[in-house]
Amino acid sequence: MAEIDGQSERHTNESTLKPQRIKITRASDDGDKKVLQKRVKDVEICVPIVYGTIAFWLGRKASETQSHRWTVYVRGATNEDIGAVIKRAVFQLHPSFENPVRVVESPPFELSECGWGEFEIAISLFFHNDVCEKQLDLYHHLKLYAENESGPQSTKKPVVMETYNEIVFPDPCDSFYARIQKHPAVIVPRLPVMLNLPTDLNENKGDTKDNPLSQWFINFSEADELLKLAAARQQVQAHIIKLRRQLSIIDGLPLQSWKPGSD
């Protein structure tokens, strides 16, 4: 089962540093599984993922039943291949589609379709055997029309809707830990000095930054977010200074200098 601590969705032109963390818990192992799967205690592996949709208006090619071409996907937060953790993804489309249950067995975990209506897409993620026995169910609303833009639609600028999450695996199997120690899509904590695990020499980083849609992906880099917060803080401080000056003039008080951060 999955425990969800807090909620946060991030869409185009939105920014937050409080991601939704999904902790994958597991039922108590029986005796046989304890022997087969040794676990690294008091360690959590974090896998940042992004799932969402990109929708393009078809313009002159649009018809009453096919106005947009869209793609739904699950990707690494900075476009890395997450196939080392996720084994397959199942997308549940609207029943009006032919074969509405679509299974994608390998990365990139995405599919494209044409249609005219918006609906909720259920996404089920299945992990490799040494990662987790449970599936993770996510839900995403397909967005075809931008709400905050006026004027005619554009065939060149798509409507992007994405959500950032962090999947947390506590007490991972030692084989899983060893296999993804240097994988760029996974955040792996340092182990105690005395604890050594085998290293998987057959590394496959599977970088997918050449995805043709990557130019439209939202950058969820923490460094970029910190820069945005710093810029926003400067704007707020400048606005506060302006308001204080206006209040001083209105109240007939002498204008006093005020520095950001002062009481």
Side-chain angles (χ1 to χ4, degrees), residues 212-229:
L213 297 175
S214 61
Q215 63 175 313
W216 305 111
F217 290 158
I218 301 174
N219 191 336
F220 289 92
S221 167
E222 184 172 323
D224 289 342
E225 294 298 331
L226 292 175
L227 289 176
K228 291 178 182 178
L229 285 178

Side-chain angles (χ1 to χ4, degrees), residues 177-222:
Y177 185 97
R179 186 164 55 81
I180 48 81
Q181 281 188 52
K182 297 182 180 180
H183 198 287
V186 180
I187 300 174
V188 182
R190 293 182 179 180
L191 288 180
V193 178
M194 300 301 295
L195 182 58
N196 295 319
L197 291 176
T199 301
D200 190 348
L201 299 179
N202 185 22
E203 291 186 20
N204 180 16
K205 293 186 177 181
D207 192 282
T208 57
K209 292 182 179 179
D210 58 348
N211 189 306
L213 297 175
S214 61
Q215 63 175 313
W216 305 111
F217 290 158
I218 301 174
N219 191 336
F220 289 92
S221 167
E222 184 172 323

Side-chain angles (χ1 to χ4, degrees), residues 132-196:
C132 182
E133 300 173 357
K134 304 292 184 179
Q135 73 183 59
L136 175 61
D137 296 323
L138 306 170
Y139 299 91
H140 180 79
H141 185 78
L142 170 63
K143 198 74 175 174
L144 302 182
Y145 304 93
E147 295 180 350
N148 57 350
E149 293 186 7
S150 58
Q153 296 185 73
S154 171
T155 58
K156 295 182 179 180
K157 184 179 180 180
V159 175
V160 182
M161 200 72 151
E162 292 190 322
T163 300
Y164 172 92
N165 280 346
E166 294 177 355
I167 309 176
V168 180
F169 299 95
D171 299 341
C173 295
D174 56 359
S175 59
F176 173 42
Y177 185 97
R179 186 164 55 81
I180 48 81
Q181 281 188 52
K182 297 182 180 180
H183 198 287
V186 180
I187 300 174
V188 182
R190 293 182 179 180
L191 288 180
V193 178
M194 300 301 295
L195 182 58
N196 295 319

Side-chain angles (χ1 to χ4, degrees), residues 244-259:
R244 281 179 176 265
R245 289 175 176 172
Q246 292 176 348
L247 289 174
S248 297
I249 294 174
I250 293 174
D251 294 339
L253 299 176
L255 183 61
Q256 298 178 351
S257 61
W258 180 84
K259 296 181 180 180

Side-chain angles (χ1 to χ4, degrees), residues 57-75:
W57 180 53
L58 295 178
R60 295 181 179 180
K61 297 180 180 179
S63 65
E64 184 177 352
T65 59
Q66 293 190 344
S67 61
H68 291 75
R69 181 166 183 81
W70 51 265
T71 300
V72 58
Y73 51 86
V74 180
R75 63 178 178 87

Side-chain angles (χ1 to χ4, degrees), residues 22 24 47 49 82-89 124-137 167 169 176 179:
I22 304 178
I24 306 296
V47 183
I49 66 166
I82 51 177
V85 179
I86 298 175
K87 184 177 182 180
R88 68 177 179 274
S124 297
L125 301 181
F126 295 83
F127 305 99
H128 291 285
N129 293 335
D130 63 346
V131 177
C132 182
E133 300 173 357
K134 304 292 184 179
Q135 73 183 59
L136 175 61
D137 296 323
I167 309 176
F169 299 95
F176 173 42
R179 186 164 55 81

Side-chain angles (χ1 to χ4, degrees), residues 80-98:
E80 302 92 350
D81 178 6
I82 51 177
V85 179
I86 298 175
K87 184 177 182 180
R88 68 177 179 274
V90 179
F91 299 92
Q92 176 73 55
L93 306 184
H94 191 271
S96 60
F97 283 87
E98 184 178 358

